[in-house]
Amino acid sequence: MYAEALKDGRKIFAVAPMIDWTDRHCRFLHRQMSKQALLYTEMVVADAIIHGPRERLLSYSPEEHPVALQLGGSDAGKMTEAIRIASDYGYDEINLNVGCPSDRVQSGTFGACLMRDGAHVASLVEAMKKVSPVPVTVKCRIGVDDQEPSEVLPEFLSRMISAGADAIWIHARKAWLQGLSPKENREIPPLDYALVHRTKRENPNVFIGINGGIGDLTQAREHLAVMDGVMLGRAAYQNAGLLAGVDDLLGSGAAAEGCRPEVDWWALRDTMMDYATGLIASGGRLHHVTRHMVGLFQGYAGARRFRQILSTDATRPGAGVDVIAAAFAAVDIPSGVKWLAS
């Protein structure tokens, strides 16, 4: 995937792995908005795959492809065992988390704290590559704590390349492992896009994608003028409607010119109602699906009422898919226009 993209000059747009957000129901919704976006699971810890409920952790809908599994861990034996198990599920990529700053992840000596030991991360990548039938990639920060990113990042990247990593996704912020919460670590440390751009220019034959603070497709397009890939997190989740422009961004680029494509919202409504019907029949709750849909209609008349309906009615015991129909009916959805001003 990545080697071919580099060879062909094809850009990749990804939705970042986000704990508690990018579960299988979220990814199913996102796939309805874009056929080309690369979707990531939440981080799944290797120990959980080995000892936990594998089917619940790893199963997903076939429609989600291309979909990547993000793994957390620092023990090569456990990581390779987790990959062997996950291989039966047919993921398109295995990604190593070297960016999460949470206390829970730090206590397991993985995530962002691995930035302190590039040699060990390289050994993990080498071990993972030996057993993975699909590309192995790394998602990292530009550094942690008092590290100097301009010194740390080039050395870290060199180690990943030597280890055989198929791509590196770089969150353009440091992580402060003490004193800042995970939320603050996504907002307070300053972004250094220039460093990441320079890193790409210095490594033209390596697939390098950028992540962190990218708020819309116009910004994504600007980064793609330099980078091989761009990854959006909170912006894509909180305003999932913007994903409707991704396929055009990766093709004609029209969606990045301050416009958004019209969506067949009624087809989306029916698809999500059918999906939720199946989930409820299997013992799930409507809210498991609709909680990811709240941000769909930003900028549309009726969006506030849409959010209210999904946030209240969908959480009630026994809520059915008629709630989705009622929420969509509350929105003033234009029709007959190819492009709508964003």
Side-chain angles (χ1 to χ4, degrees):
M1 172 168 60
Y2 289 104
E4 291 82 357
L6 268 178
K7 179 180 178 182
D8 300 338
R10 177 171 54 86
K11 305 296 185 176
I12 292 179
F13 180 102
V15 179
M18 292 174 280
I19 294 175
D20 296 328
W21 285 5
T22 52
D23 63 19
R24 59 180 299 181
H25 311 308
C26 172
R27 298 193 306 269
F28 183 86
L29 169 67
H30 287 177
R31 180 57 67 220
Q32 309 315 306
M33 309 303 293
S34 167
K35 300 305 180 187
Q36 296 186 48
L38 172 61
L39 306 180
Y40 278 78
T41 69
E42 305 169 82
M43 181 186 67
V44 185
V45 179
D47 271 323
I49 292 175
I50 296 168
H51 303 293
R54 298 172 184 176
E55 189 65 19
R56 180 173 65 81
L57 292 170
L58 296 174
S59 63
Y60 59 92
S61 301
E63 296 91 338
E64 293 174 37
H65 289 289
V67 59
L69 171 65
Q70 187 182 65
L71 288 179
S74 60
D75 180 278
K78 292 179 179 179
M79 296 295 278
T80 54
E81 178 62 19
I83 291 174
R84 289 190 181 97
I85 294 168
S87 294
D88 292 337
Y89 290 82
Y91 284 95
D92 299 292
E93 172 188 333
I94 303 295
N95 178 264
L96 174 61
N97 184 315
V98 191
C100 182
S102 76
D103 292 340
R104 181 173 67 87
V105 167
Q106 290 184 57
S107 68
T109 322
F110 60 97
C113 63
L114 287 174
M115 290 295 299
R116 296 183 181 132
D117 193 349
H120 181 61
V121 179
S123 71
L124 289 176
V125 171
E126 289 175 351
M128 294 165 69
K129 287 281 292 181
K130 288 178 181 177
V131 299
S132 177
V134 295
V136 172
T137 66
V138 175
K139 186 171 187 292
C140 66
R141 294 279 183 143
I142 59 174
V144 296
D145 297 336
D146 293 322
Q147 288 181 333
E148 173 49 55
S150 62
E151 298 174 1
V152 170
L153 186 60
E155 179 183 357
F156 182 86
L157 186 68
S158 176
R159 290 183 182 276
M160 298 308 103
I161 296 168
S162 297
D166 293 284
I168 297 93
W169 290 95
I170 304 173
H171 186 147
R173 281 189 177 96
K174 268 189 180 183
W176 287 95
L177 302 180
Q178 302 295 329
L180 293 182
S181 69
K183 180 177 184 296
E184 290 170 330
N185 262 300
R186 293 190 297 267
E187 299 171 349
I188 293 176
L191 289 157
D192 193 345
Y193 293 143
L195 172 61
V196 181
H197 287 183
R198 184 167 72 248
T199 298
K200 172 56 201 173
R201 291 190 181 101
E202 292 170 351
N203 295 274
N205 297 319
V206 180
F207 187 101
I208 303 177
I210 192 167
N211 170 232
I214 304 168
D216 56 40
L217 296 188
T218 299
Q219 294 175 28
R221 186 183 186 215
E222 292 168 355
H223 285 291
L224 288 176
V226 179
M227 307 300 298
D228 302 309
V230 63
M231 178 182 283
L232 270 66
R234 287 168 293 161
Y237 184 88
Q238 295 168 349
N239 181 17
L242 72 78
L243 294 176
V246 167
D247 295 352
D248 285 286
L249 171 66
L250 297 177
S252 67
E257 299 292 346
C259 295
R260 66 185 177 213
E262 185 182 20
V263 177
D264 188 343
W265 292 112
W266 307 118
L268 177 65
R269 176 200 63 185
D270 294 345
T271 297
M272 297 312 298
M273 288 175 68
D274 289 345
Y275 180 82
T277 296
L279 177 66
I280 292 169
S282 66
R285 294 184 58 197
L286 181 67
H287 178 61
H288 296 157
V289 175
T290 57
R291 73 186 186 95
H292 303 300
M293 300 170 61
V294 173
L296 274 177
F297 286 105
Q298 286 194 27
Y300 285 84
R304 184 169 180 268
R305 180 60 183 148
F306 175 85
R307 294 192 295 270
Q308 288 175 337
I309 292 171
L310 293 187
S311 298
T312 56
D313 296 355
T315 61
R316 291 173 179 157
V321 296
D322 57 305
V323 173
I324 296 177
F328 272 74
V331 183
D332 181 10
I333 301 175
S335 61
V337 180
K338 173 66 175 174
W339 295 95
L340 305 173
S342 61

